[in-house]
Amino acid sequence: MKKSIIFFLLLTHLSFSYSVTDSYNNSVTEKTENWIQEKPKNEKISSSFTIKNIKIIGKTKYDPVFISNLSCLYPGDKIEIPGKEIDNAIKKLWDTNLFKTISIYKKNTNPKNKNEIDLFFDLEDSIKVNQINLEGNGKTQFETIKKIHSGDKISDHLIQSIHNEIEDYYLKKGYKDISIKKEFISTKKENENILNIHVYKGKKTWIENIFFSGNQILNEKELLNLIVKTRNKFSIPFIEKTFCFVYENINDDLKNIIRKYQSMGFLDVKVFLDSIWKEKSGNYSIKIKVVEGKRYYLGNVKFVGNTFFNDSFLKNILSYKKGDIYDKIGINNNIFNSFDEFSILSNYLNFGFFFVKIVPIEKKIVNNQIHLEIEIEENKPVYINKVKISGNTITKDHIIRRELTTYPGNTFSPKEIKSSLLHLNNLNLFERINPFILINRKNNTLDIEWRVVEKGANQIQLHGGYEKRKIFGNLKLIFGNFSIINFFKWKSWNPIPQGNGQKLLLFNQFGKDKQSYGFSFTEPWIEKTNPTSLTFEMHFSKKKIKNDENISFFTKKFNLIPEGFLEEKKIGSSINLNKFLTFFDPYSKIELSMHYDKFFYKNLVTDVDLKKNHSFQLNNLSYLISLQRFYGVPDLIYPVNGSKIQLSSIFTIPYSILFNKKFDWIEFFKLKIISFGYKKIVDNVVIKFGGEFGILGKYNNSSELLSSQKFYMGGTGGRKLEDKDLILFRGYNHTEFLPPVNGGIIYNKYLFEVRYLIKKFSYNMSKFWTFLFIEEGCISDSYKKFNPLRMNKSFGFGFRIFLSPIGLFGIDFGYPINSRMKKDSFLSRWKTHFIIGQD
């Protein structure tokens, strides 16, 4: 928006004028920058004036008092012409958006005192807009337009701001031939105006060819892989590369190439855009010039000023030795990267040296060797003075404080801040958690305020459907911030007693042949100093079991006839202890549990002769020991780096061996190993890889294994209600498991997944991503027949979205490749899987 300020004489009666006019080229600040002064010959003009009166002229409805209050210029004020008072007045008037044009003139009214003037404001009011129509841009919204409401005044410079915002948006998208037309339309209603903005973005401009010259160390393919900002976001990494023509992105990519060369020791490298030309297709080709320069190597490294850490410790962290290529990027990263817990800066910060100063100085260069001196000013460590909590209206303070590892009197440590954040996130009670730090340099202390935003911790989950003439469902009521202490205090029921971070779960499964009920209660902190949770659960279920469901155990031991049915009633309880191994690291934990079930079976055969064995009972007392470690950066929802390791064992006492007799007690042992890793390969692209292995055994060859103890492979388990140990395998049905369909006793599985983050919502932890996957799995009902090289395979793609605080939703499309089934079988078709809750 071109805005000029003109200082001139108005005929014979005006000795000064200051005007602002509008067009569509420059910014508003330029209005106060260009002065043109004209001085009549033989006349001396003083630069200091006193305002006698303020007068208003032009097409405006505003009076002098209102304009004085807006401009902060009043009668009696002394001003300099030219000077900052007039500049500030113009800017203040312009920022109101009330005026289309602004001019300021002075007139001398006192011949005896030439420094006394009347100040004239020549103003034209802006147009009132009642509606803005934006056409041709799809559904994109712009912040400037969203701030304008019906009835607001809209000045020319505000219209130009809208123009610039729209133009910049499409230029960054690669549309170089953008055209924007604006017009006002007056409606039949009095004083109502509509602003129509027509956007013609044209065709997206692509870079057809990228040429390099001067490069010797890096070849063309390696340089193209460094061009990541210009690359179209829908390009497939390492396979397809299409580039949008956006100057800003090109400059960022040139800097990326420079950083790569500097990491290889070429400190004097220069990379610039040499030439651009348009091809017949309408797209562009560019040529990038590389001047590599000399390669430098690291010479002597000297630390100065360090007293807390010795030289050998710091050199070990630096990890670069004399004679290594001088990797400036890597050296700076090992020194300054606060996100790397092993950098020199992080080590100092984690010991409380908040005000540490580290300055690497390249002392001298001899024979392409750079001698490096790292000066360290440690200063005194900083201690925590107070720890405050705010924002919690339901959760009690002590529930939050016991999760913190930042205490008054301790030295400040970013590592402990991260650990506290992890613990608070694990509570699943807060939508946002922000630590704010107030530093007092006088006494080297700081205060930490943990500001939390609570979320609804109570949920109702209902899943179900209709399949094979059966209605089935799963209902759960989850109270995530329960308080058992306030249970009998009726005043605290709002709507339920809350605030102590305890978890109460009520669940019910229903179907034609099955019903179950139960509850569980979790106290997340039974110790005073360590995060240890205790869960107690009770449940009851009732269902019919048909003989075609692999009940060899019952047919052999209890003479169940082929036409018979069993009614199973089960009542059970369990106690579970979950403890974080904080002495090891914040991410490891151990889980211990004891589970007891009593089964009541009744033969439903109506034949009188078969009723002698019509009922029997079984007991199951099992134990669980599980070691787990799950570490993910930046979080556990979409980790770009990290790992998940789990080793768990479920077993019963070997009654038949210890007591040398048979009991109606179930015997078995089970071992499972799960290991997955996450690794970022390029921006927003992460690979997940790993596998799992499981084995089920018995102490006595004469004993039998129940079907509920065995492994089953196939599907995602989203609709299956039976208590089975299901190994998820996309591309296959969970209602028609991989052979053996009656369950296996040994399995293994491998997974490779390429994830791409499509959208990250900045206001919370919500994320949306897609992925490609390949899975391999093998399951067998015999150790001897188990062949881990003869795998069932599947591949496919899917989507996941995590919405805070709702949870995870996803859909997978898998195509199975089964080594033991014919190609025309049901397993050769695409399968769709829906994911709700957990991945």
Side-chain angles (χ1 to χ4, degrees):
M1 204 180 315
K2 184 178 180 182
K3 307 174 183 68
S4 61
I5 299 175
I6 305 172
F7 175 57
F8 62 99
L9 293 175
L10 284 180
L11 303 177
T12 58
H13 64 283
L14 292 179
S15 59
F16 157 75
S17 79
Y18 193 149
S19 66
V20 178
T21 59
D22 267 326
S23 62
Y24 293 150
N25 295 324
N26 299 329
S27 64
V28 66
T29 56
E30 293 174 352
K31 293 177 182 293
T32 60
E33 291 178 357
N34 300 323
W35 283 82
I36 300 177
Q37 300 187 32
E38 296 184 8
K39 181 173 66 175
K41 294 181 179 179
N42 301 323
E43 183 179 349
K44 185 176 180 181
I45 300 178
S46 173
S47 62
S48 179
F49 300 91
T50 300
I51 301 174
K52 183 179 180 182
N53 298 299
I54 289 181
K55 299 183 178 182
I56 308 299
I57 58 176
K59 298 179 181 180
T60 182
K61 65 179 181 181
Y62 300 106
D63 58 25
V65 175
F66 182 79
I67 298 303
S68 287
N69 290 330
L70 287 182
S71 64
C72 295
L73 291 178
Y74 301 93
D77 287 352
K78 291 185 179 181
I79 60 173
E80 299 288 331
I81 298 179
K84 63 180 181 179
E85 296 90 354
I86 297 294
D87 292 349
N88 291 336
I90 291 286
K91 188 176 186 306
K92 289 175 181 178
L93 291 175
W94 202 257
D95 288 343
T96 64
N97 291 322
L98 295 176
F99 307 104
K100 185 176 182 181
T101 60
I102 303 171
S103 299
I104 301 178
Y105 310 115
K106 79 174 178 66
K107 179 182 177 182
N108 187 285
T109 57
N110 188 352
K112 295 181 180 180
N113 186 358
K114 294 183 178 181
N115 291 336
E116 188 178 74
I117 61 171
D118 288 345
L119 209 57
F120 289 79
F121 286 80
D122 188 358
L123 307 171
E124 182 179 354
D125 289 350
S126 296
I127 300 174
K128 182 174 70 172
V129 64
N130 299 90
Q131 183 178 338
I132 299 178
N133 295 329
L134 190 59
E135 302 174 357
N137 75 308
K139 296 183 179 180
T140 305
Q141 294 185 340
F142 298 95
E143 291 299 322
T144 307
I145 295 178
K146 287 195 292 186
K147 293 177 181 178
I148 300 173
H149 303 92
S150 178
D152 287 354
K153 294 292 185 69
I154 183 167
S155 64
D156 288 351
H157 93 276
L158 185 57
I159 295 175
Q160 185 62 34
S161 296
I162 296 172
H163 178 105
N164 293 342
E165 185 178 1
I166 297 172
E167 188 176 59
D168 290 345
Y169 173 82
Y170 283 105
L171 285 174
K172 291 179 180 179
K173 296 287 184 180
Y175 297 94
K176 301 188 72 62
D177 300 324
I178 178 75
S179 173
I180 304 172
K181 294 182 179 179
K182 303 169 288 293
E183 60 177 347
F184 271 103
I185 298 177
S186 298
T187 64
K188 294 181 180 180
K189 294 182 180 180
E190 186 178 358
N191 296 327
E192 283 201 1
N193 300 291
I194 296 176
L195 174 60
N196 289 329
I197 302 175
H198 303 274
V199 179
Y200 305 93
K201 62 183 181 182
K203 293 183 178 180
K204 182 174 284 191
T205 307
W206 301 95
I207 299 176
E208 197 165 299
N209 299 297
I210 300 179
F211 301 99
F212 297 93
S213 64
N215 56 301
Q216 296 179 358
I217 300 300
L218 296 177
N219 58 40
E220 182 177 321
K221 183 178 179 181
E222 291 171 321
L223 290 171
L224 283 174
N225 285 334
L226 294 171
I227 299 179
V228 291
K229 272 273 198 97
T230 307
R231 184 180 300 148
N232 179 23
K233 67 178 181 179
F234 296 108
S235 296
I236 301 175
F238 308 115
I239 299 175
E240 176 192 7
K241 296 182 179 67
T242 53
F243 304 96
C244 293
F245 196 105
V246 181
Y247 276 110
E248 182 180 343
N249 292 343
I250 293 174
N251 290 332
D252 288 341
D253 285 333
L254 296 182
K255 294 176 183 177
N256 194 35
I257 295 174
I258 291 174
R259 285 193 292 269
K260 178 63 177 178
Y261 269 103
Q262 287 181 340
S263 71
M264 301 172 67
F266 296 91
L267 303 187
D268 303 326
V269 64
K270 295 180 180 179
V271 181
F272 54 90
L273 197 58
D274 186 60
S275 55
I276 305 171
W277 63 94
K278 197 169 186 177
E279 301 287 357
K280 293 181 180 180
S281 60
N283 295 322
Y284 290 83
S285 293
I286 64 174
K287 182 180 179 182
I288 297 174
K289 178 72 173 178
V290 180
V291 181
E292 294 177 339
K294 296 179 181 180
R295 172 174 272 176
Y296 293 91
Y297 298 86
L298 183 63
N300 297 321
V301 180
K302 183 180 180 181
F303 291 92
V304 178
N306 55 301
T307 57
F308 190 81
F309 295 117
N310 58 40
D311 288 2
S312 60
F313 178 79
L314 296 176
K315 286 181 179 179
N316 186 50
I317 296 175
L318 188 65
S319 76
Y320 290 91
K321 303 184 294 295
K322 184 177 182 179
D324 289 348
I325 291 173
Y326 192 84
D327 178 4
K328 187 172 184 176
I329 304 300
I331 289 173
N332 286 337
N333 183 70
N334 290 357
I335 295 174
F336 297 110
N337 188 0
S338 59
F339 296 101
D340 181 3
E341 58 182 296
F342 300 106
S343 69
I344 293 177
L345 178 61
S346 291
N347 273 276
Y348 269 105
L349 291 176
N350 287 331
F351 279 92
F353 293 92
F354 190 81
F355 300 112
V356 63
K357 295 179 181 178
I358 306 174
V359 181
I361 301 174
E362 297 170 354
K363 274 294 186 180
K364 60 181 178 179
I365 302 174
V366 179
N367 296 327
N368 284 13
Q369 276 198 343
I370 298 177
H371 298 283
L372 188 65
E373 183 175 285
I374 302 175
E375 295 183 354
I376 300 175
E377 183 182 335
E378 293 177 341
N379 294 310
K380 294 181 180 179
V382 175
Y383 293 87
I384 300 173
N385 180 38
K386 296 179 181 179
V387 177
K388 304 176 183 178
I389 298 170
S390 63
N392 53 313
T393 58
I394 298 175
T395 309
K396 294 180 173 59
D397 277 6
H398 76 275
I399 302 300
I400 300 175
R401 287 189 182 278
R402 69 189 183 188
E403 301 290 342
L404 302 179
T405 57
T406 53
Y407 306 107
N410 290 359
T411 55
F412 172 77
S413 169
K415 184 178 180 181
E416 297 304 326
I417 294 288
K418 293 177 184 178
S419 177
S420 298
L421 275 172
L422 175 67
H423 292 166
L424 291 176
N425 277 319
N426 286 337
L427 289 178
N428 198 29
L429 300 178
F430 309 109
E431 186 173 335
R432 289 194 300 274
I433 306 166
N434 297 315
F436 284 79
I437 299 172
L438 180 63
I439 303 171
N440 187 349
R441 291 220 54 173
K442 292 182 180 179
N443 56 8
N444 270 26
T445 63
L446 55 81
D447 296 338
I448 302 177
E449 182 179 357
W450 291 92
R451 299 180 184 177
V452 300
V453 177
E454 293 175 311
K455 66 179 181 181
N458 304 324
Q459 299 179 35
I460 299 177
Q461 295 182 358
L462 176 62
H463 309 297
Y466 183 81
E467 183 180 39
K468 294 182 179 181
R469 299 182 181 179
K470 295 181 181 179
I471 298 176
F472 58 89
N474 188 346
L475 174 64
K476 290 183 180 180
L477 300 179
I478 303 172
F479 306 103
N481 196 4
F482 194 73
S483 176
I484 194 68
I485 297 177
N486 296 327
F487 186 80
F488 297 104
K489 299 177 182 178
W490 305 115
K491 293 182 179 180
S492 65
W493 284 67
N494 188 26
I496 61 169
Q498 299 183 90
N500 279 337
Q502 297 161 340
K503 184 176 180 179
L504 177 65
L505 170 64
L506 307 176
F507 56 87
N508 168 227
Q509 291 181 344
F510 56 89
K512 182 179 179 181
D513 295 325
K514 177 176 180 179
Q515 288 184 340
S516 68
Y517 312 90
F519 77 93
S520 69
F521 174 79
T522 300
E523 167 54 61
W525 200 290
I526 61 172
E527 295 186 48
K528 291 185 178 180
T529 58
N530 294 318
T532 305
S533 67
L534 183 68
T535 300
F536 176 74
E537 177 185 333
M538 289 194 69
H539 57 267
F540 170 80
S541 67
K542 177 181 178 181
K543 69 177 180 178
K544 290 182 180 180
I545 302 178
K546 300 178 182 180
N547 69 319
D548 60 357
E549 296 185 21
N550 185 34
I551 317 176
S552 60
F553 179 87
F554 303 119
T555 57
K556 290 180 180 179
K557 187 168 184 177
F558 301 101
N559 300 320
L560 177 65
I561 66 170
E563 292 79 12
F565 292 87
L566 280 181
E567 180 187 72
E568 178 193 84
K569 292 182 180 180
K570 180 176 69 171
I571 184 169
S573 62
S574 66
I575 187 167
N576 178 284
L577 187 72
N578 208 318
K579 179 180 178 64
F580 277 92
L581 303 177
T582 52
F583 65 88
F584 186 69
D585 65 24
Y587 318 106
S588 300
K589 64 180 180 178
I590 184 172
E591 182 179 355
L592 304 171
S593 71
M594 182 172 61
H595 192 107
Y596 174 75
D597 285 315
K598 189 172 186 66
F599 299 88
F600 301 89
Y601 293 98
K602 183 178 181 181
N603 196 324
L604 300 181
V605 177
T606 57
D607 194 324
V608 179
D609 294 334
L610 298 173
K611 285 190 176 181
K612 56 181 178 180
N613 287 328
H614 72 283
S615 64
F616 51 93
Q617 299 179 9
L618 284 177
N619 297 279
N620 179 26
L621 179 62
S622 60
Y623 306 89
L624 167 71
I625 301 175
S626 178
L627 295 171
Q628 306 168 26
R629 187 182 190 275
F630 194 178
Y631 169 72
V633 177
D635 52 55
L636 304 183
I637 299 167
Y638 187 88
V640 299
N641 281 296
S643 62
K644 177 182 179 181
I645 301 172
Q646 181 175 346
L647 173 63
S648 56
S649 172
I650 304 174
F651 59 92
T652 65
I653 296 173
Y655 304 101
S656 60
I657 297 176
L658 294 177
F659 303 104
N660 196 25
K661 59 185 294 187
K662 295 183 179 180
F663 289 83
D664 290 334
W665 289 79
I666 298 172
E667 295 182 350
F668 72 96
F669 61 87
K670 183 185 289 188
L671 177 67
K672 293 178 71 173
I673 301 173
I674 301 174
S675 177
F676 290 105
Y678 302 86
K679 183 67 177 178
K680 178 181 177 180
I681 50 176
V682 294
D683 286 346
N684 293 340
V685 179
V686 176
I687 59 172
K688 177 184 177 182
F689 54 92
E692 54 183 292
F693 170 79
I695 186 171
L696 172 66
K698 51 189 178 180
Y699 304 111
N700 193 317
N701 290 331
S702 62
S703 62
E704 296 290 338
L705 294 170
L706 292 174
S707 59
S708 60
Q709 298 163 353
K710 295 182 180 180
F711 301 113
Y712 296 84
M713 184 174 286
T716 59
R719 296 162 58 192
K720 201 68 178 174
L721 297 179
E722 283 76 12
D723 299 325
K724 296 185 183 297
D725 194 341
L726 179 63
I727 312 305
L728 308 185
F729 202 164
R730 292 169 288 189
Y732 297 89
N733 288 334
H734 57 262
T735 54
E736 295 169 316
F737 300 110
L738 279 170
V741 294
N742 295 326
I745 60 173
I746 186 172
Y747 82 94
N748 69 336
K749 175 189 167 184
Y750 302 101
L751 167 68
F752 181 80
E753 192 172 281
V754 181
R755 299 179 168 189
Y756 178 76
L757 183 63
I758 298 175
K759 178 71 174 178
K760 178 181 179 182
F761 303 94
S762 58
Y763 54 86
N764 56 25
M765 298 177 68
S766 299
K767 294 179 176 67
F768 176 48
W769 68 93
T770 184
F771 54 85
L772 303 173
F773 70 84
I774 299 175
E775 291 188 348
E776 294 183 326
C778 179
I779 185 169
S780 177
D781 56 3
S782 170
Y783 303 136
K784 295 180 180 180
K785 296 179 181 179
F786 179 67
N787 185 357
L789 301 178
R790 193 181 181 189
M791 309 287 283
N792 303 291
K793 304 176 181 65
S794 69
F795 66 91
F797 63 97
F799 300 90
R800 294 286 186 276
I801 183 168
F802 180 87
L803 298 174
S804 177
I806 300 174
L808 183 74
F809 299 89
I811 184 171
D812 294 341
F813 303 93
Y815 191 89
I817 307 172
N818 194 307
S819 61
R820 287 175 283 180
M821 300 296 292
K822 296 180 180 179
K823 291 184 178 180
D824 59 352
S825 71
F826 70 92
L827 289 172
S828 62
R829 296 193 297 261
W830 284 92
K831 300 294 185 300
T832 303
H833 306 283
F834 295 95
I835 309 297
I836 300 176
Q838 291 187 345
D839 198 358

